[in-house]
Amino acid sequence: MALLLNLPVRDIMKKECISIQQNALVEAAAALMVQHRINGIPVVNEQNEVVGMITQGDLIIRATGIRLFTLWPYGSYESNEEMMKEYHKIIGTKVSEVMNDQPVTIDPDRPISYAAELMYKKRIKQLPVVENKKLLGYLSRTDIIELLFRKEN
């Protein structure tokens, strides 16, 4: 099993990666997540460079305002700027306004063990695989589990 964890991410990543343009509407991102039963989508610019990530969590926060309205009364924001950023996420109509603009990504030549540790520490379910800022594919927790627990015939 340890040898499998040393394989590079590119060996098990999914190359057919769903992405969305930063100027797309939030509703389009939601429809893609539902249609493909995925938790998040890498956000790309016109050059296919990853500029963000939009997740189901972002959509829930936008739809309910739950983060803003549960933290605001208690002064949990470090600054007014942070609070305003949350507010703009709630009223945003474009993916670029709602997405996380500092996505966690991984290089295709990193070992799978590094990807697994990164996912665990950052509490994320999938990683866009990026080389020279370009989206190559993605790696999910499921991909790692499938590798480690597949039955050999």
Side-chain angles (χ1 to χ4, degrees), residues 23-98:
N23 293 327
L25 295 177
V26 171
E27 288 78 8
L32 281 173
M33 286 184 215
V34 170
Q35 177 186 355
H36 296 282
R37 297 184 149 321
I38 53 178
N39 296 314
I41 305 172
V43 181
V44 296
N45 62 17
E46 295 77 24
Q47 292 78 37
N48 200 41
E49 297 171 335
V50 175
V51 295
M53 186 79 175
I54 187 164
T55 66
Q56 290 174 340
D58 295 323
L59 296 179
I60 290 169
I61 287 169
R62 180 184 179 269
T64 64
I66 195 164
R67 184 165 151 73
L68 181 69
F69 297 116
T70 56
L71 294 179
W72 175 69
Y74 305 105
S76 297
Y77 289 103
E78 291 182 22
S79 66
N80 285 341
E81 183 180 294
E82 183 185 357
M83 186 174 76
M84 290 308 295
K85 187 174 181 179
E86 284 295 318
Y87 176 71
H88 285 288
K89 278 188 162 202
I90 292 169
I91 64 169
T93 58
K94 291 184 180 178
V95 168
S96 60
E97 298 166 326
V98 177

Side-chain angles (χ1 to χ4, degrees), residues 90-122:
I90 292 169
I91 64 169
T93 58
K94 291 184 180 178
V95 168
S96 60
E97 298 166 326
V98 177
M99 71 181 190
N100 172 356
D101 62 359
Q102 298 189 345
V104 178
T105 63
I106 193 160
D107 184 275
D109 295 318
R110 285 286 200 161
I112 293 166
S113 59
Y114 179 83
E117 183 178 351
L118 187 60
M119 288 175 166
Y120 175 76
K121 284 182 176 177
K122 299 288 186 175

